[in-house]
Every structure is written in structure tokens, then in C-alpha cells.
Amino acid sequence: MTLSHSHKRTHQSANAMATPQATPQTTPQRYNGPARDGDWANYRDTITSLYLDQNKSLKEVMRIMREEYYFYATEKMYKIRFNKWGLHKKLRAHQVAELLVQRGKRAAVGKTSVSFVHGRKIDSDRLNTYLRRVSPARRKELMAILSGDVELGAAQKRSIEEIICRTPSPEPEPEPLPRRMEAPDSLRLPEECMQIVQSYVSGAFDAALWQTTPDKELVFPRRGRTWLDPVSSARQLFVNGFTEQGFRMLKITFDDYRDVMVRQDPSLLVETCLALGALLHSGPGLAESLMNYVCSMSRIVFGSKHPLHLLFVKLKSANPSEISRFMGLIMQSFLRAVQHDSRLKPTYLATVYRAMLNSNFIEATTALRCMQDLLADLEETGPSSPGSPGRDALQKDIELLQYHVSWLIKLHNEPTEAKVAAQTFAETYGSGDPRIARFSCYNMLRTLRTSYEVSPEEAIELMFQSLSICETEFGRNDNATMTLLATLQSYLHRTGQAEEAARIKADFETRWNEVVEGLSRVKTQ
């Protein structure tokens, strides 16, 4: 564009003064072609000021730029450029998500904030208005962005790079404090929980509660069993009609929880969330009882201001219909925060993501994406790299991740899932990775009721075949073996095989007493 683009039409004004009788021009006298990239760059500030600061409509902006600056562009060209610049009068979901994260992080350390999007100040009232009026679809999009389930596009990433939150500049006149930004509970509560999780993780590392290896891998203390095992057992007992044994197992679980809290190893929060998820599937009353107990015990062990107690209180106040989604966000936030200061074994992460999926904390697409990322990282690791595991161990880890990825793509929620799981269990027994064998066994038990192409008679046959493998591979009183026995008894009873069901039930109760005695001995040692 020629040099005349940098000046308003001063010559036109002069001509008008010299000949008053002339009719004013409604269009400029010269046309130099449509705007080019360099012209857009030169007039970006002017266009932005007209459109946002002066709140002109797009057609008004086009007229002013055409008549006063000889700047020619179509409405479509303006809209394309506005999208490229991230220039919108209405806030977008990805911008609000970034504002909430930045303001939340600053608020967590006691800092007040003033926010700017593309140089335009966004006050708390405007954010409040957005959060109050946001549609259900936009709220879902916002939550997905906050949880990391959505990958932002290139234009969105460029847009949030121009979002700034800083401490307000001192004003010459004192002004009233800005009103506290209030968001709907469905948006505010998970954000507050994620801030508390970040504080908890940072505090644990700062206080050296958690240890890492020289190559920054987080250390999990060795335990004979996890606190989660009895909870999983209790859930299956309730599902299969062993109510008395289920409540007794829960009592053992509650009795152990104080010791688990005092120990406070890195798995505490993950196992607590998964335990709540397991009991949610057994009935909301059971999960509520555990939540009440967790809140009370965390206050006694840690005190009322400890991040974990604050987090559990927040969870307790959540709407029951939202609790699974909130726990999914909390666990993902925890895993991200831990990996900021250390690294976690890919196989541990895979196990956690699989458990989150089974508890309906995350969608299958999210679990699959995470598994694929973990697999890609493992496949890029060479056995000769510093700190890498040995070749055999690495290959087994890769095969385990491949198993998870393949399963999610081909078999998850398919009508034959239980049958294929039983076949995989038989094939991996003795010669394969015992982790795959255990996963396959639990998959079979978990999906029998939803694999509608597997008849009850077929299910019973699969369980009888799997029972001897469980006893040999894991032990006669292992959690998987006991769960299999309880499920088998339930199916036999449903198909009218009363005598065989009574025999299996008697066998289960004998082993159950042995399990309880074993847990009691561990408790007294």
C-alpha cells in the first residue's frame, strides 16, 4: 500500500474547504487494492481500538478504515484476521480457563490480580458474568480444558500467550477492594481442589516426606498389600450378596486408615479417591460413610488447616452427581503436580489410569490418549540410556502398555470382553507377565455382567477354568481368588445350581475366615 495509507485524508478536507458547494464524498477517492499482510500489521492497533476499546461494530470499523485510512478489506477478511489475532468481544472458553488458572495460582499465595486479554483489562465482574451465563456446552468445554482433556489448537495457544495476570499498579486514590470473583460450584469447586492438591504436593516435597531416586523417580514404600485391596474386596462382596462379610471387611479398612494416614506415602491420595470410587459403585451410603470417616480422621491426624483435610472437606461438599468427575480432576491434577518435581513409572501411571477408567473418573478416550503417550515414551527409551531399566524389564513394560492400549481400542465395553479376558488370563498364566494375568482376571470379573454375548453358563465355565489358575498363580486366599469364588457362587445360585452354589459358598466362607485371621495377625504385629 502507498505512503498515503499512513495519513488520514487531509487533502480531501482541504479541497472541501476551498469549494464549499461540493458534495461531501462518502467513499475515498483513491483505491490501492485490498489490504496485504503488512497493512494489517500496521493498522492492527487502530483496528483493535475501534473494535474493542470504542466498541464499534464490524461494519463501522470497515467504514472508518475505508474512508479515513484507504484500508480496503472484505468482512470475511476481517473475521479471518480477528480469529488469527484472537480478537473477540466475547471471552472464549480457553481464555476463561487460562484466566482462572492464573488468578487461582496467584490467589493461592495471597496475591491480588488484574487481568488482561490482548491488552484489554478483564475485571472480576466480567468473569462473573461469563461464569453465571455460560451454557452447559461451554461449561463442559471449559471443564475439559481445565482438566487437560482437550488439546488446544495453534490459534488458541497463541491467544492465551497474550493473557496476563499481574499485581495491580498502585492508584493515586484509594479504591474499594474488588468484589470476590464468584463462580458456580460446578466450576469453582474443582478449581479450588486442584489448587489444594498442588499445595499438598509442593509441601510434601519441600518437607522431604517423599523420596526420589538419583534419576528423580518417586519412591513408593514397599508394602505387603495396599489399603485399597480390602476396599476392592468389600465392593465385590456387596455385589455378590455377601453383605455381612462386606461390612466386616470395611470395618478392617476403617481401622487401618489411621495408620495409612500417619504413614502418608505418595499413594495415599490416589488410593483414597479410588476407594471412594469403588464404594460409589456399591451404593452412595457406603461412599458417604467413608468420606465422613476420612474427613474426621484427617482432621485428627493432620489438623484442620492441612491441605488433605481441606481437600476432603471440599469433596464432601460436592454434589453427589459430580463427585466422580471431581475425583478424576483431582487425581489428574495430583499426577501432573507430582511429575513436575519427579517422575512416575509408566506402568504405575497405566495402572492408575486403568483404575480411574473403571471407576468412571475419566473417559475411555482420555485413558487411551494417556496410555498411548506413556507407550511412546517407553518405546523411545533405550536400555543403554542413563538410568533406564534392563532390556528384559523394559520390554515387559512395553508389552504391558501395548496390552492396555490394544485392549482399550479393540475390546473395552465390547460384548465379548469377559470371554477374551478369560482367554488372555489362561494364555499368560505361567509363561507371561503376571501383571497382565492379574489385569485379565479382574477384567473378566468386572465385565461378566456387561458382556451380554457371554451366557451365564459360559460365565460359570470361564470362572471354573480360571479358579485353578488363580489358586496356583496368586494363592488360594488372594483377593483375585476370593473375588472369583464369590462371583462364581452368585452365578451358580442364579442359574439354579443350588447344591454346587452351597459347596462354593462353604468353601468361600472357610477361606474368608482365614483371610480375616491373617489380616488380624498383620494388625497385631
Side-chain angles (χ1 to χ4, degrees):
M1 204 167 278
T2 64
L3 185 62
S4 62
H5 281 87
S6 61
H7 305 283
K8 293 188 178 182
R9 293 192 306 156
T10 54
H11 68 284
Q12 186 177 352
S13 300
N15 291 340
M17 293 174 65
T19 56
Q21 71 276 15
T23 302
Q25 297 290 328
T26 57
T27 58
Q29 295 177 345
R30 66 183 71 177
Y31 174 69
N32 296 302
R36 303 179 181 90
D37 285 345
D39 302 321
W40 286 105
N42 289 337
Y43 286 98
R44 179 172 179 172
D45 290 344
T46 303
I47 294 170
T48 300
S49 176
L50 289 169
Y51 188 63
L52 294 182
D53 300 337
Q54 300 179 41
N55 200 30
K56 303 287 187 185
S57 68
L58 177 55
K59 292 194 178 296
E60 287 180 298
V61 173
M62 292 172 64
R63 178 187 61 78
I64 293 170
M65 293 303 298
R66 182 178 64 245
E67 295 181 2
E68 298 187 12
Y69 296 91
Y70 298 109
F71 186 94
Y72 293 87
T74 65
E75 183 175 340
K76 182 177 180 180
M77 292 168 67
Y78 271 96
K79 289 181 177 179
I80 291 173
R81 193 64 56 164
F82 283 6
N83 281 331
K84 185 175 181 180
W85 291 347
L87 202 63
H88 305 288
K89 289 187 177 182
K90 294 181 179 179
L91 289 172
R92 296 302 198 255
H94 66 276
Q95 293 173 330
V96 173
E98 182 66 16
L99 285 168
L100 289 174
V101 170
Q102 289 195 28
R103 291 170 72 99
K105 288 179 179 178
R106 292 175 59 81
V109 294
K111 293 182 179 180
T112 57
S113 299
V114 59
S115 305
F116 298 87
V117 177
H118 296 284
R120 184 167 44 119
K121 185 176 179 180
I122 306 296
D123 58 22
S124 296
D125 285 339
R126 182 159 185 195
L127 271 177
N128 278 329
T129 300
Y130 179 96
L131 294 170
R132 282 197 307 271
R133 297 178 180 176
V134 64
S135 67
R138 286 286 178 266
R139 177 177 285 112
K140 185 176 181 180
E141 179 186 0
L142 179 58
M143 293 304 304
I145 294 171
L146 284 170
S147 65
D149 288 345
V150 172
E151 180 69 24
L152 297 182
Q156 292 173 317
K157 290 179 179 177
R158 286 195 300 270
S159 176
I160 65 174
E161 286 175 358
E162 298 193 33
I163 294 177
I164 298 172
C165 288
R166 61 172 174 79
T167 303
S169 302
E171 299 289 341
E173 296 276 343
E175 294 184 354
L177 292 173
R179 290 188 300 174
R180 182 173 180 268
M181 186 178 67
E182 294 291 344
D185 286 346
S186 59
L187 295 178
R188 187 179 70 247
L189 185 59
E191 181 64 24
E192 291 174 348
C193 288
M194 287 189 283
Q195 292 170 21
I196 294 172
V197 168
Q198 291 173 353
S199 173
Y200 166 59
V201 173
S202 298
F205 279 113
D206 291 344
L209 286 176
W210 301 342
Q211 305 299 317
T212 59
T213 62
D215 61 344
K216 301 295 288 181
E217 182 180 294
L218 188 62
V219 175
F220 289 86
R222 290 186 176 276
R223 292 178 285 169
R225 62 179 175 86
T226 69
W227 170 73
L228 192 58
D229 287 342
V231 180
S232 302
S233 298
R235 173 190 173 185
Q236 292 298 329
L237 290 170
F238 285 121
V239 168
N240 290 294
F242 291 92
T243 306
E244 180 183 346
Q245 290 89 342
F247 277 113
R248 189 172 177 186
M249 183 62 80
L250 278 186
K251 182 179 184 304
I252 294 172
T253 299
F254 281 26
D255 290 343
D256 284 349
Y257 195 65
R258 180 186 176 92
D259 295 336
V260 174
M261 277 196 166
V262 170
R263 190 165 58 241
Q264 201 181 162
D265 65 51
S267 63
L268 173 60
L269 180 57
V270 168
E271 290 185 4
T272 301
C273 288
L274 292 177
L276 287 167
L279 293 182
L280 278 172
H281 291 281
S282 304
L286 295 173
E288 183 180 355
S289 297
L290 179 59
M291 191 75 257
N292 290 336
Y293 187 80
V294 166
C295 286
S296 300
M297 193 56 63
S298 62
R299 182 183 179 90
I300 294 171
V301 175
F302 301 134
S304 60
K305 295 183 178 180
H306 190 278
L308 276 183
H309 176 69
L310 296 175
L311 179 65
F312 295 145
V313 170
K314 293 283 186 186
L315 271 178
K316 184 180 177 181
S317 68
N319 187 314
S321 64
E322 298 280 353
I323 191 71
S324 291
R325 182 169 62 87
F326 286 174
M327 285 195 286
L329 291 172
I330 286 169
M331 290 181 67
Q332 290 178 81
S333 177
F334 173 80
L335 295 175
R336 284 195 296 268
V338 168
Q339 291 178 95
H340 184 270
D341 294 300
S342 66
R343 67 181 184 87
L344 294 168
K345 286 184 177 180
T347 50
Y348 170 79
L349 287 169
T351 302
V352 173
Y353 288 134
R354 191 69 178 262
M356 290 170 69
L357 175 62
N358 292 343
S359 296
N360 296 324
F361 290 171
I362 56 175
E363 299 291 334
T365 52
T366 301
L368 176 60
R369 188 181 70 247
C370 293
M371 298 280 195
Q372 289 172 328
D373 290 343
L374 292 172
L375 178 58
D377 290 342
L378 264 185
E379 289 176 336
E380 290 176 2
T381 302
S384 58
S385 301
S388 66
R391 182 180 300 274
D392 291 343
L394 176 61
Q395 185 57 38
K396 283 188 175 182
D397 288 348
I398 290 174
E399 290 172 357
L400 179 63
L401 265 295
Q402 289 173 336
Y403 161 79
H404 285 307
V405 169
S406 176
W407 195 276
L408 288 173
I409 293 174
K410 299 177 181 178
L411 292 165
H412 181 65
N413 284 342
E414 291 297 316
T416 57
E417 185 172 4
K419 181 183 292 186
V420 178
Q423 292 170 352
T424 305
F425 182 38
E427 290 167 1
T428 54
Y429 157 63
S431 58
D433 188 337
R435 295 173 296 182
I436 296 180
R438 186 173 286 274
F439 276 125
S440 300
C441 180
Y442 280 123
N443 256 343
M444 177 192 67
L445 294 171
R446 183 181 59 82
T447 59
L448 275 173
R449 286 176 170 78
T450 57
S451 297
Y452 56 82
E453 289 191 8
V454 179
S455 67
E457 291 73 21
E458 286 180 299
I460 290 171
E461 183 179 354
L462 290 174
M463 283 187 280
F464 269 121
Q465 292 171 358
S466 301
L467 181 58
S468 61
I469 299 176
C470 271
E471 291 174 332
T472 304
E473 183 81 356
F474 309 134
R476 60 179 267 111
N477 294 340
D478 180 82
N479 185 61
T481 308
M482 296 296 293
T483 302
L484 181 54
L485 269 178
T487 308
L488 176 59
Q489 184 273 340
S490 175
Y491 268 78
L492 288 168
H493 183 75
R494 284 164 49 194
T495 55
Q497 301 181 54
E499 186 176 338
E500 187 66 10
R503 185 184 70 80
I504 294 295
K505 182 178 181 181
D507 187 14
F508 170 84
E509 290 176 343
T510 299
R511 300 190 195 196
W512 164 254
N513 291 330
E514 294 172 2
V515 169
V516 173
E517 290 175 7
L519 291 174
S520 300
R521 284 196 299 271
V522 171
K523 182 75 175 174
T524 57
Q525 287 175 355

